Amino acid sequence: MSTINQTRSITTVKSIIYSQHGDPKDVIKIHTYTLNEPKNDEIILKTLAFPINPSDINQLEGVYPSKPEKTLKYGTNEPSAIAGNEGVFEIYQIGPNVSKNFKIGDRVIPLGANFGTWTSHNIALEKDLIKLPSDLSIVKSATISVNPITAYQLVNNYGLIKGDWLIQNAGTSAVSQLVSQIANVKGINVISVIRDRDNFDEIAQKLIDQGAKKVISETENSNRDISKEISSLTNGKLKLALNSVGGKSSSNISRKLVENSTIITYGGMSKQPVTLPTSLFIFKNLKSIGYWVTEITKKDPSSKIHAIKELIKLYQNNQLKELEVVENIWKFDEFNDEEIKKLVEIALDNVSKGKQLIKIV
Amino acid sequence: MSTINQTRSITTVKSIIYSQHGDPKDVIKIHTYTLNEPKNDEIILKTLAFPINPSDINQLEGVYPSKPEKTLKYGTNEPSAIAGNEGVFEIYQIGPNVSKNFKIGDRVIPLGANFGTWTSHNIALEKDLIKLPSDLSIVKSATISVNPITAYQLVNNYGLIKGDWLIQNAGTSAVSQLVSQIANVKGINVISVIRDRDNFDEIAQKLIDQGAKKVISETENSNRDISKEISSLTNGKLKLALNSVGGKSSSNISRKLVENSTIITYGGMSKQPVTLPTSLFIFKNLKSIGYWVTEITKKDPSSKIHAIKELIKLYQNNQLKELEVVENIWKFDEFNDEEIKKLVEIALDNVSKGKQLIKIV
């Protein structure tokens, strides 16, 4: 490769990076640098869209156990990392040794965590990428790796079969809504517990339309009468509880399980610890475990590839709805650093209002 | 068998029975009846001693999930059951078809739960009994089935090997003291957490003399500094927590475990639920399960026979101390019903002061 060639295909990149941990808005910086033409089996990716996930924020805060290595390779003064773990890219340039499986224009997502997705471009090797069909929407593609894989594996990896029941709290969360849809396809019945609210009936109906068999409020969840009703409805087949809340909500869903059941914790929205009655462990042989998609993928990357394939089918069959996101548009050719930072700050401010997606156009 | 023969060997039995559930002192009655000479493979047993266990009390209260069938076979007006689950017997009379393995004078304990041990005599078949060596003390024999088997299985059934560590709360309980001794023999290191108390150093020394490697108070258990000290002491090998307390104590012992560890709950002295940090489940792959000797024995009776054999060896090698008990003497030929009831009532009143044993002489 001649110097002239390299110069011709230099890519200007803008990345949202951090070198310290703290409040995300305080620690992120916009950093501009260039990437040379890809060598050997390198692939340069152009980012189409990335979501802001709670785990991305926890990572910036320094309270998330999985974190990228900070490096000087972006030309910063301090070792830095690119924020973000999920997103969809288009192949932009390929090195001379890249196989025919990857062509310019192909849509890809990163296989591993800590890829650095809050950026206009990134560089990767074939083995770091999973190809997606180009007719899968940008939103579906950008958000397929975290919530849908979590939901897919929660429904499929714990021995439930057609006719079984599961109960989950935080029934309106993105993962819970995906769980209901995926379970429904498999013939697994779902009870979703949601917070008490004024428009309970309306939300409950929406969740039932999506595939949940029953929706109860947290007040009902704590009521012994409903336990009898659920016991008769589920007829000895309520074998799994999915907990992303903790505290009393975790107690109350676990009480409804039959003997030899499992409760899986994958979140803790209430900030209360997982709280489970002693008697369930001793006399009902309850097992309480955790689920973390990052660790499962690290141990067995093929599990992610498998789940992605199955999720693509579900999307293609219209058995899974696109996640609801709030789109924030980053106009790459127009926005200066200040405007990009402002865009991310607004998205960070709005995470409690819905999943924020940043789309680069 | 002639009527005359049967009459000659009739046994007068006094049993502590109940037909209703409630406060043990309110529901127990002394019932006198007779047993005919044993037929076929029946064995009549004379009780030597029985303890009063917390589970016996819970059973009388009606809050224990394992319970004997109530029957009219003792000649009561209401269906009744004999109280008690643990105790040691001497073979008193044997039916004509009993094998040579069981002789008059042999010491035996029941294999299953709900045997009815609070009685002067009982009747059984060979298959319901485990023989003990006659040189094992009455106290050791009467108390071998519940606490020592629990401790033996907690140490041996969860994959710990020589050099591993376990942490347990309620470090002064009978089970915990047995755990320390049994673990010590296996080269498994024990950290015992005990309640704060004035004579902490004295009690801690006693537990260390018994085999615990380190003893800390519940205040220390909640302190982050000691976590560092324990982490360095246990060097990545603290893999099991034994919880019989619940609440914050269960949180604090679980926090000290390495990744992929297990916490086993077998009691809940604090009456607080098992409370475990969400992050341990998600990021450290903690598994929380329960242990109940009754259910394990029901599923696999040979596991009890195996544990008893091993425990006898430990007792014979002086590697296990006799449980500390408070002896209450029931003089069978002298006590009337009122005196027997009084004796049991005193023992029930004193359960918080130490394990009560009733010895029949």
Side-chain angles (χ1 to χ4, degrees):
Chain A
M1 256 176 287
S2 70
T3 308
I4 291 170
N5 271 344
Q6 279 189 20
T7 311
R8 266 218 306 260
S9 53
I10 271 180
T11 303
T12 297
V13 183
K14 283 186 183 286
S15 293
I16 298 155
I17 62 157
Y18 60 104
S19 50
Q20 305 296 321
H21 295 280
D23 184 324
K25 293 201 281 185
D26 295 339
V27 298
I28 58 168
K29 290 173 209 153
I30 311 303
H31 177 61
T32 306
Y33 55 106
T34 55
L35 286 176
N36 285 335
E37 176 176 84
K39 288 182 303 228
N40 305 321
D41 51 353
E42 288 175 350
I43 299 177
I44 292 183
L45 307 169
K46 187 166 159 278
T47 311
L48 300 176
F50 57 85
I52 294 181
N53 286 314
S55 51
D56 300 326
I57 292 174
N58 294 154
Q59 205 171 51
L60 291 167
E61 290 167 341
V63 298
Y64 199 66
S66 169
K67 51 188 78 170
E69 205 187 338
K70 296 189 187 72
T71 162
L72 291 169
K73 73 181 178 189
Y74 308 117
T76 51
N77 294 328
E78 286 178 286
S80 303
I82 301 176
N85 295 271
E86 193 181 27
V88 62
F89 302 88
E90 197 175 78
I91 293 186
Y92 184 63
Q93 295 182 337
I94 53 176
N97 301 336
V98 169
S99 82
K100 290 196 174 150
N101 295 326
F102 288 80
K103 298 184 307 291
I104 288 172
D106 281 351
R107 294 264 182 90
V108 293
I109 56 171
L111 176 60
N114 301 320
F115 186 77
T117 57
W118 296 12
T119 180
S120 66
H121 302 77
N122 210 330
I123 187 159
L125 302 178
E126 272 185 73
K127 68 173 179 55
D128 303 324
L129 301 171
I130 303 175
K131 228 165 98 169
L132 295 187
S134 54
D135 61 352
L136 195 67
S137 79
I138 299 266
V139 174
K140 287 174 185 165
S141 303
T143 59
I144 200 168
S145 291
V146 176
N147 293 340
I149 292 187
T150 296
Y152 180 83
Q153 295 186 338
L154 288 173
V155 171
N156 284 284
N157 289 8
Y158 299 92
L160 291 188
I161 57 169
K162 191 174 171 168
D164 284 341
W165 288 75
L166 69 82
I167 185 166
Q168 61 182 351
N169 52 24
T172 60
S173 77
V175 170
S176 294
Q177 292 191 49
L178 291 159
V179 161
S180 299
Q181 296 170 71
I182 295 168
N184 195 32
V185 173
K186 267 199 99 173
I188 292 162
N189 305 295
V190 172
I191 300 169
S192 286
V193 182
I194 67 175
R195 275 173 302 171
D196 295 73
R197 61 190 79 205
D198 291 339
N199 61 342
F200 177 88
D201 289 345
E202 180 194 327
I203 300 293
Q205 191 56 52
K206 180 188 149 189
L207 298 178
I208 282 171
D209 292 344
Q210 263 180 27
K213 285 289 177 300
K214 190 169 179 68
V215 178
I216 62 173
S217 69
E218 280 291 0
T219 296
E220 288 174 304
N221 190 27
S222 67
N223 182 321
R224 302 257 163 164
D225 289 343
I226 203 124
S227 290
K228 282 181 209 157
E229 188 190 324
I230 284 175
S231 170
S232 117
L233 175 70
T234 57
N235 199 21
K237 294 195 168 177
L238 181 45
K239 298 175 181 173
L240 185 68
L242 304 179
N243 169 45
S244 57
V245 177
K248 283 184 183 165
S249 178
S250 53
S251 272
N252 290 328
I253 59 172
S254 68
R255 271 186 229 282
K256 296 176 178 64
L257 295 167
V258 298
E259 258 184 65
N260 306 316
S261 291
T262 300
I263 178 166
I264 305 176
T265 291
Y266 67 94
M269 276 184 216
S270 72
K271 311 263 182 201
Q272 298 296 309
V274 180
T275 308
L276 299 165
T278 299
S279 60
L280 296 188
F281 285 114
I282 304 178
F283 302 129
K284 289 183 81 180
N285 198 25
L286 176 69
K287 184 166 77 174
S288 170
I289 58 176
Y291 170 91
W292 188 23
V293 64
T294 303
E295 186 61 22
I296 289 176
T297 305
K298 200 170 140 189
K299 271 191 196 145
D300 178 15
S302 74
S303 67
K304 176 165 172 175
I305 296 168
H306 170 75
I308 293 279
K309 270 187 197 157
E310 295 299 313
L311 289 162
I312 290 169
K313 278 188 224 161
L314 291 170
Y315 274 132
Q316 286 172 338
N317 296 340
N318 290 319
Q319 291 168 315
L320 203 55
K321 279 177 49 185
E322 181 169 297
L323 288 197
E324 287 168 23
V325 299
V326 179
E327 285 193 13
N328 304 269
I329 305 298
W330 170 1
K331 296 181 181 171
F332 185 69
D333 291 331
E334 293 179 25
F335 281 15
N336 63 26
D337 288 4
E338 212 170 298
E339 286 165 323
I340 300 165
K341 183 124 200 290
K342 188 78 204 157
L343 176 88
V344 178
E345 284 178 356
I346 290 170
L348 284 166
D349 279 340
N350 289 335
V351 284
S352 64
K353 296 180 192 159
K355 189 177 282 291
Q356 301 293 313
L357 187 86
I358 294 186
K359 202 167 165 178
I360 307 184
V361 296
Chain B
M1 257 175 286
S2 71
T3 309
I4 292 169
N5 270 345
Q6 279 190 18
T7 311
R8 263 218 308 258
S9 53
I10 271 180
T11 302
T12 298
V13 183
K14 284 186 181 287
S15 293
I16 298 155
I17 62 157
Y18 60 103
S19 50
Q20 304 297 323
H21 295 280
D23 184 324
K25 292 202 282 183
D26 295 339
V27 298
I28 58 167
K29 290 172 210 154
I30 312 302
H31 178 60
T32 306
Y33 57 107
T34 57
L35 286 177
N36 285 335
E37 177 176 81
K39 287 181 303 222
N40 304 321
D41 51 352
E42 288 177 350
I43 299 175
I44 293 184
L45 307 169
K46 189 169 156 278
T47 312
L48 300 176
F50 57 84
I52 295 182
N53 286 314
S55 50
D56 301 325
I57 292 173
N58 295 153
Q59 206 172 51
L60 291 166
E61 291 168 339
V63 297
Y64 200 64
S66 169
K67 50 189 78 169
E69 205 187 337
K70 295 189 187 73
T71 163
L72 291 168
K73 72 180 178 189
Y74 308 118
T76 51
N77 295 328
E78 288 179 283
S80 303
I82 301 176
N85 294 271
E86 193 181 27
V88 62
F89 304 87
E90 196 175 79
I91 294 186
Y92 183 62
Q93 293 183 340
I94 53 177
N97 301 335
V98 169
S99 81
K100 292 198 174 147
N101 295 326
F102 288 79
K103 297 184 308 291
I104 288 173
D106 281 352
R107 295 263 181 89
V108 293
I109 56 170
L111 175 60
N114 302 320
F115 186 77
T117 58
W118 296 14
T119 179
S120 68
H121 302 77
N122 210 331
I123 188 160
L125 302 177
E126 272 185 74
K127 67 172 179 55
D128 304 324
L129 302 171
I130 302 175
K131 228 164 96 171
L132 294 187
S134 55
D135 60 351
L136 195 68
S137 78
I138 300 265
V139 174
K140 288 173 185 165
S141 303
T143 59
I144 200 168
S145 292
V146 177
N147 293 340
I149 292 185
T150 297
Y152 179 84
Q153 295 186 337
L154 288 173
V155 171
N156 284 285
N157 290 9
Y158 298 92
L160 291 188
I161 57 169
K162 191 174 171 168
D164 283 342
W165 288 75
L166 68 83
I167 185 165
Q168 60 182 351
N169 51 24
T172 59
S173 77
V175 171
S176 295
Q177 291 190 49
L178 291 159
V179 161
S180 300
Q181 295 169 72
I182 295 167
N184 195 32
V185 173
K186 267 198 100 173
I188 293 162
N189 306 295
V190 172
I191 300 168
S192 286
V193 182
I194 67 175
R195 274 174 301 170
D196 296 73
R197 60 190 80 207
D198 291 337
N199 61 343
F200 178 87
D201 289 345
E202 182 193 326
I203 300 295
Q205 191 56 53
K206 181 189 147 186
L207 298 178
I208 282 171
D209 291 344
Q210 262 180 27
K213 285 290 176 300
K214 190 170 179 68
V215 178
I216 62 173
S217 69
E218 280 291 0
T219 297
E220 288 174 305
N221 190 28
S222 67
N223 183 321
R224 303 256 162 165
D225 289 342
I226 203 124
S227 290
K228 282 181 209 157
E229 190 190 323
I230 285 176
S231 169
S232 116
L233 174 69
T234 56
N235 199 21
K237 295 196 166 175
L238 181 45
K239 299 176 181 173
L240 185 69
L242 304 178
N243 169 44
S244 58
V245 176
K248 282 187 183 162
S249 178
S250 53
S251 273
N252 289 327
I253 60 173
S254 68
R255 271 187 228 281
K256 296 176 178 61
L257 295 167
V258 297
E259 256 183 66
N260 306 315
S261 291
T262 301
I263 179 166
I264 305 177
T265 292
Y266 67 96
M269 277 184 216
S270 71
K271 311 264 181 201
Q272 298 296 311
V274 181
T275 309
L276 299 166
T278 299
S279 60
L280 297 188
F281 285 114
I282 304 178
F283 303 128
K284 289 182 79 180
N285 198 25
L286 176 69
K287 184 166 78 175
S288 170
I289 57 176
Y291 170 91
W292 189 24
V293 64
T294 303
E295 186 61 22
I296 288 176
T297 305
K298 200 170 142 191
K299 272 191 196 144
D300 177 14
S302 74
S303 67
K304 176 165 173 176
I305 295 167
H306 170 74
I308 293 279
K309 271 188 196 156
E310 295 298 314
L311 289 162
I312 290 169
K313 278 189 223 162
L314 292 170
Y315 274 132
Q316 286 172 338
N317 296 339
N318 291 316
Q319 291 168 316
L320 204 55
K321 279 176 51 186
E322 181 169 297
L323 288 196
E324 286 168 23
V325 300
V326 179
E327 286 194 13
N328 304 270
I329 306 296
W330 170 3
K331 295 181 181 169
F332 185 68
D333 291 330
E334 293 177 27
F335 281 14
N336 62 27
D337 288 5
E338 212 170 295
E339 287 165 322
I340 299 167
K341 183 125 199 287
K342 189 79 206 157
L343 176 88
V344 178
E345 285 179 356
I346 290 171
L348 284 166
D349 280 339
N350 289 335
V351 284
S352 64
K353 295 180 192 156
K355 189 178 283 290
Q356 302 293 312
L357 186 86
I358 295 186
K359 203 167 167 179
I360 308 184
V361 296

